[in-house]
Amino acid sequence: MSFQAPKGTFDWMPPRSERVLAVRDALAAPARRAGYGYIETPAFEDTGLFSRGVGESTDIVTKEMYTFEDKGGRSITLRPEGTASVMRAVLEHGLPGGPLPVKLWYSGSYYRYERAQKGRYRHFSQVGAEAIGIEDPAVDAELITLAVDGYAALGLSGVRLLLNSLGCAECRPAYRAALQDFLRGLDLDEQTRQRIEINPLRVLDDKRPQVQAQLTGAPLVTDHLCGACKAYHEEVRTLLTAAGVKYTDDPRLVRGLDYYTRTTFEFLHDGLGAQSAVGGGGRYDGLSEMIGGPPLPSVGWALGVDRTVLAMEAEGLFDAEPATVDVFAVPLGEEAKRVAFGLVVELRRAGLSVDMAFGGRGVKGAMKAADRSGARFALILGDRDLAAGAVQMKDLTTAEQTAVPFAEVADTLKGKLS
């Protein structure tokens, strides 16, 4: 019997997996610099958290969740997104009783039973950030700017930002009624018609061409915003412009989760084909109350790690395979291997990235291994070097080779690599 990764999943393998780590670090770095603390939540939660928080009318809840009954008879779901879990943790641990906003970032795996294709997987990775407990357009603009800076740090130039406002509890009802009147006159299947009555915004998010073709004349939420929502959205736009963030107003932009209010945004990359969204988010002022908490206006985003890697590959930002180490030791003989092993341990503890040739390879095979590792320096150690108390340090980019006393190897390498 042979096993393979389940359909819709895949393995990140070296050296490509190094790109994933680099992307995660780069996307999270701006949030960390802005004072966002790290949070980690369980990979599975009570099913009710997602059905209430994400929305019973969403595709995620109705079609895509991995839900099962555990041995205790409880209905459990693998998390399909991160925001509901973060809000649950914030409420459970009483964080709203302290200084607000509660600013958190996270990174992890998420699970949705979707039609598998490039850029859409059943197991995927995201980096997310949330600012909980504050209603301030400056926080919305801050989070958007942090995401923009994360993409910029990776060298991505093809990411586009779409921006919209979905209104609030005051102005949404009038828009909802207008939208329902429009949608009821369209030629839609029964399931979609049921969605009109539950949450008509979900129909606008329907990606099927036969549905989208009928939505051309649909009323726009921006035409129904109350004065407060208009002023709020305009301030977000003003702050983004002042920060040098380029965006496109998209009055038809609707995110696929029920909890969004006011500011909503999405990041697209045209090099990914049909699955062009690489990240997105928005304000979700009612989520806390949906899952039994107090009013906590909040805003956040999630950025797809898998799709960001694909976007970077589409732009040719990964021309060379990443080096696994900076230094590679090549021992010639058993005694040299013992000494080289001790030297490698010492260099690693000094903060250097080091590997060595194993398995009794000859010098030719060991040097090939050094080249494959991407290391800049090889440390060659034979009987003569042992007698001299030195190692041959070879620069693999210039072929220059010098003898360096054992006691000076760490400092010499740090100086050359800095």
Side-chain angles (χ1 to χ4, degrees), residues 23-25 27-29 31-32 36-42 79-87 89-90 103-110 112 124-132 143 255 257 259-260 280-282 284 287 299-305:
V23 166
R24 285 176 179 165
D25 289 344
L27 294 179
R32 299 180 71 179
Y36 287 70
Y38 180 68
I39 183 173
E40 188 166 322
T41 61
R79 59 188 182 191
E81 58 93 46
T83 302
S85 292
V86 171
M87 182 63 80
V90 166
K103 298 168 75 172
L104 301 167
W105 76 273
Y106 53 92
S107 177
S109 296
Y110 300 87
R112 298 182 191 176
F124 54 97
S125 299
Q126 292 182 337
V127 171
E130 318 285 349
I132 295 172
L143 273 160
R255 300 284 294 160
L257 308 177
Y259 52 59
Y260 283 116
Y284 48 94
L287 176 59
V299 62
W301 48 245
L303 311 180
V305 175

Side-chain angles (χ1 to χ4, degrees), residues 18-313:
E18 294 297 320
R19 299 174 179 176
V20 180
L21 297 178
V23 166
R24 285 176 179 165
D25 289 344
L27 294 179
R32 299 180 71 179
R33 290 195 298 267
Y36 287 70
Y38 180 68
I39 183 173
E40 188 166 322
T41 61
F44 55 87
E45 300 264 11
D46 186 303
T47 299
L49 173 66
F50 301 117
S51 61
R52 292 173 62 184
V54 174
E56 294 185 3
S57 68
T58 62
D59 283 346
I60 292 175
V61 173
T62 59
K63 302 176 182 179
E64 299 169 1
M65 294 201 312
Y66 281 92
T67 298
F68 58 95
E69 186 176 288
D70 71 4
K71 294 182 178 181
R74 293 170 290 264
S75 181
I76 298 296
T77 296
L78 298 180
R79 59 188 182 191
E81 58 93 46
T83 302
S85 292
V86 171
M87 182 63 80
R88 188 270 308 154
V90 166
L91 295 174
E92 181 176 340
H93 295 279
L95 297 187
L100 297 177
V102 178
K103 298 168 75 172
L104 301 167
W105 76 273
Y106 53 92
S107 177
S109 296
Y110 300 87
Y111 311 88
R112 298 182 191 176
Y113 190 84
E114 299 194 87
R115 184 169 60 87
Q117 57 182 291
K118 183 178 180 181
R120 174 183 281 175
Y121 309 111
R122 294 174 179 175
H123 165 242
F124 54 97
S125 299
Q126 292 182 337
V127 171
E130 318 285 349
I132 295 172
I134 200 76
E135 183 179 16
D136 188 334
V139 178
D140 301 29
E142 175 185 84
L143 273 160
I144 294 172
T145 302
L146 295 177
V148 168
D149 290 348
Y151 289 127
L154 291 168
L156 282 166
S157 60
V159 175
R160 298 185 291 115
L161 169 61
L162 304 183
L163 184 67
N164 194 22
S165 174
L166 297 180
C168 67
E170 296 298 321
C171 54
R172 185 83 68 85
Y175 173 64
R176 175 190 173 96
L179 181 59
Q180 286 177 318
D181 287 344
F182 172 84
L183 295 174
R184 288 170 184 146
L186 303 183
D187 181 17
L188 302 171
D189 59 85
E190 184 58 32
Q191 185 178 22
T192 306
R193 288 195 170 279
Q194 292 175 7
R195 186 170 289 178
I196 294 172
E197 307 309 319
I198 300 171
N199 190 338
L201 286 177
R202 298 284 66 75
V203 181
L204 297 182
D205 199 40
D206 195 314
K207 299 299 189 294
R208 291 174 295 175
Q210 65 270 30
V211 176
Q212 284 296 317
Q214 300 182 65
L215 298 177
T216 304
L220 303 177
V221 65
T222 47
D223 293 335
H224 292 77
L225 296 180
C226 63
C229 284
K230 287 181 180 179
Y232 193 100
H233 190 54
E234 186 57 36
E235 181 63 12
V236 172
R237 297 171 75 254
T238 298
L239 291 169
L240 290 176
T241 301
V245 174
K246 296 181 180 180
Y247 61 87
T248 299
D249 290 308
D250 184 356
R252 297 191 181 278
L253 175 64
V254 178
R255 300 284 294 160
L257 308 177
D258 279 0
Y259 52 59
Y260 283 116
T261 57
R262 284 194 171 173
T263 305
T264 187
F265 53 91
E266 195 161 75
F267 294 97
L268 305 179
H269 192 284
D270 295 328
L272 301 185
Q275 302 305 318
S276 59
V278 292
R283 177 157 286 279
Y284 48 94
D285 292 343
L287 176 59
S288 175
E289 294 170 277
M290 286 181 184
I291 60 174
L296 279 177
S298 305
V299 62
W301 48 245
L303 311 180
V305 175
D306 313 319
R307 292 188 184 179
T308 300
V309 171
L310 293 175
M312 294 182 70
E313 290 175 342

Side-chain angles (χ1 to χ4, degrees), residues 335-401:
E335 181 59 28
K337 181 186 288 186
R338 296 186 189 99
V339 175
F341 183 82
L343 180 60
V344 166
V345 171
E346 176 187 340
L347 294 176
R348 289 171 179 167
R349 290 173 176 170
L352 296 168
S353 175
V354 190
D355 198 0
M356 67 178 286
F358 293 99
R361 297 177 181 175
V363 63
K364 185 176 181 180
M367 291 305 295
K368 284 185 177 180
D371 288 334
R372 286 195 298 269
S373 75
R376 180 180 169 188
F377 292 99
L379 301 180
I380 305 168
L381 187 63
D383 291 338
R384 292 183 180 179
D385 304 303
L386 290 175
V391 65
Q392 298 297 318
M393 183 180 295
K394 183 175 183 178
D395 188 325
L396 296 177
T397 59
T398 65
E400 180 183 353
Q401 183 170 312

